[in-house]
Amino acid sequence: MSAYLTRTLERFVVGPAARFPVLLLTGARQVGKTSMLRKLAAPGRTYVTLDDPLALRLAREDPALFLERYRAPVLIDEIQYAPQVLPHVKIAVDRTKKGAGFWLTGSQPFHLMKGVSESLTGRVAVVNLLGLSRRELLGRGKDADPFVPPSARRPAAPPAKAASLAEMYRAIWRGSFPVVATDETVDRTLFFSSYFQTYLQRDVRDLARVGDEMAFMRFVRAAAARTGQLLNLSELARDADVAPNTAKSWLSILLASGVIHLLEPWHGNVTKRLVKAPKLYFLDTGFASYLTEWSSPETLEAGAMSGAMFETWVVAEILKSYRHNGLQAPLFHYRDRDGREIDLLVVRDGVIHPVEIKKSAAPRPEDARHFRAIAGAGARVGAGAVVCLTAEPLPLTRDVTAVPAHLL
């Protein structure tokens, strides 16, 4: 069993979130929610999982008795299976007025978030955990701050051993789920096969009421093949051989369950010529590579999806840098009808930082040629970046830095 790796989100859980009487930690299955909270829990905090049929039955049939049996401070795992408990958590919180008494995890918020908003408004800190970031995987989770492109005049990247192309694509191919990312002896294919079946059976069939599992599997695979692309629902529905309304519903399931992220377009003051479709990204490149049947890191790197998977990995890493600091990610993409596009816009304090993502070890100033497009829309434009496979940071222009992907 691999050693526990410090998660960046820990400092938020024991800091700002600790001031709330209830903490709800959401995220996909197997990203390490329970491991992190059990690591942080004081010895006196009770642990109960609703994966246990006996505990689940009690929680559903007599939630008041359930909370008598498992008194605060308590960690209740997989709370989505018994949302009936949430109103009783509210009663207990209002009665005791104690902080950090209830820690809850939920890997499937289809119906969970409605119950939380109705029962625990003002009493709950909701935080989201994704898979391991690269910094967490390298044991540097404590110093992982939200990503903002550095100034080209003052490159501020810490020294780190450069990752080879083979090392980068092995990380992309294995993905960020802790079990498979931290242990090379784990059979990756077996892990993802089992993960997909668990996801289908426990979450999608039971909670989302998806009747045709085979059609849903086709849909998920078709979505994985489109990671890093503009979302076109009608084409996705056609590829999966389902109705457009079904595709829209199933896409919301993937979004709610933490499998994908939709990167929304940025709109300036002049919006009539902007493309308004979001871009679709899988949050775990290992899972996406498994679904699209790349059998090795080498075949993935040499294949047709090589650039899309690299872009997906970079976007997920930057997204983690915000989510794991307890922040909403201020990330967008840009594309206009003249064909000018920018992979990522990071919006901080009213300033837009453009980011281009290139699978290249030799970035050029031309890679940032579209950055000036957003200035014409009345935006304040800050330092930009080209995230790529260069060994070390280097300035490309006065305002744009080439940032090595291994430093994210």
Side-chain angles (χ1 to χ4, degrees):
M1 185 176 178
S2 301
Y4 175 80
L5 293 171
T6 298
R7 307 302 299 266
T8 304
L9 193 58
E10 290 179 19
R11 60 190 181 189
F12 184 81
V13 170
V14 300
R19 295 193 288 268
F20 287 81
V22 183
L23 168 72
L24 171 61
L25 181 60
T26 66
R29 285 186 172 274
Q30 296 292 319
V31 295
K33 302 184 299 297
T34 305
S35 296
M36 185 186 79
L37 291 185
R38 296 196 77 173
K39 181 76 174 180
L40 296 176
R45 185 176 292 272
T46 304
Y47 170 75
V48 57
T49 175
L50 297 184
D51 273 330
D52 180 341
L54 295 178
L56 177 59
R57 180 179 178 182
L58 179 61
R60 285 177 171 174
E61 295 182 356
D62 195 339
L65 182 59
F66 175 83
L67 289 185
E68 283 292 319
R69 170 67 179 82
Y70 301 103
R71 291 175 175 270
V74 62
L75 165 55
I76 305 174
D77 212 0
E78 306 293 3
I79 189 64
Q80 74 274 5
Y81 291 125
Q84 303 92 326
V85 171
L86 295 174
H88 295 271
V89 170
K90 174 184 179 295
I91 293 170
V93 165
D94 291 346
R95 184 170 58 238
T96 63
K97 304 295 184 183
K98 291 182 179 179
F102 292 90
W103 284 1
L104 316 173
T105 77
S107 57
Q108 186 44 277
F110 298 132
H111 311 297
L112 175 59
M113 295 313 298
K114 180 181 178 183
V116 168
S117 62
E118 290 177 350
S119 302
L120 299 174
T121 300
R123 303 168 179 84
V124 60
V126 181
V127 289
N128 181 246
L129 186 68
L130 302 178
L132 286 166
S133 69
R134 178 168 174 79
R135 291 205 178 196
E136 289 170 340
L137 194 55
L138 295 176
R140 303 205 310 268
K142 289 183 178 179
D143 65 358
D145 294 323
F147 173 82
V148 178
S151 168
R153 301 165 204 176
R154 301 190 309 276
K161 180 179 179 294
S164 68
L165 181 65
E167 289 170 334
M168 285 299 301
Y169 271 85
R170 185 153 194 85
I172 291 170
W173 183 76
R174 289 195 72 84
S176 60
F177 288 108
V179 170
V180 71
T182 62
D183 190 347
E184 290 279 339
T185 66
V186 171
D187 187 320
R188 166 195 173 276
T189 301
L190 179 60
F191 171 84
F192 283 121
S193 175
S194 302
Y195 181 86
F196 199 14
Q197 287 302 316
T198 300
Y199 172 67
L200 282 171
Q201 294 171 3
R202 294 299 307 275
D203 295 336
V204 174
R205 186 186 65 195
D206 294 346
L207 293 179
R209 302 291 187 258
V210 169
D212 190 343
E213 288 188 13
M214 293 302 294
F216 186 77
M217 289 177 70
R218 287 198 312 271
F219 175 80
V220 177
R221 292 182 187 278
R226 291 174 172 273
T227 188
Q229 297 182 24
L230 283 174
L231 175 63
N232 186 317
L233 260 178
S234 61
E235 290 184 2
L236 181 56
R238 183 197 63 207
D239 290 350
D241 194 23
V242 297
N245 285 344
T246 300
K248 184 177 181 180
S249 174
W250 287 356
L251 192 74
S252 69
I253 291 173
L254 296 183
L255 186 64
S257 55
V259 173
I260 65 167
H261 176 73
L262 294 181
L263 187 68
E264 295 296 333
W266 175 80
H267 299 321
N269 294 328
V270 183
T271 63
K272 62 182 179 180
R273 292 190 56 78
L274 298 184
V275 174
K276 299 181 181 181
K279 290 181 76 172
L280 185 153
Y281 291 97
F282 262 63
L283 288 172
D284 187 83
T285 51
F287 192 31
S289 300
Y290 163 78
L291 291 168
T292 48
E293 299 182 341
W294 297 101
S295 61
S296 68
E298 293 76 19
T299 58
L300 175 61
E301 189 278 321
M305 292 189 67
S306 178
M309 284 295 183
F310 178 68
E311 180 180 330
T312 297
W313 184 86
V314 170
V315 170
E317 287 297 305
I318 294 175
L319 184 65
K320 290 170 192 175
S321 77
Y322 285 88
R323 293 269 185 90
H324 290 180
N325 277 286
L327 300 172
Q328 292 295 319
L331 308 179
F332 305 87
H333 79 90
Y334 177 93
R335 184 168 181 168
D336 63 28
R337 298 190 186 279
D338 296 322
R340 297 177 297 184
E341 58 183 307
I342 302 169
D343 292 327
L344 201 63
L345 301 180
V346 180
V347 182
R348 295 296 302 271
D349 301 320
V351 178
I352 297 178
H353 300 272
V355 178
E356 192 67 16
I357 302 167
K358 291 287 184 183
K359 185 202 167 189
S360 170
R364 303 172 300 166
E366 290 78 13
D367 294 331
R369 65 188 181 278
H370 292 158
F371 287 5
R372 55 181 170 268
I374 53 175
R380 292 174 57 202
V381 183
V386 176
V387 178
C388 55
L389 295 169
T390 185
E392 59 184 30
L394 69 153
L396 295 179
T397 71
R398 288 178 59 84
D399 301 307
V400 180
T401 302
V403 175
H406 71 266
L407 291 181
L408 292 178

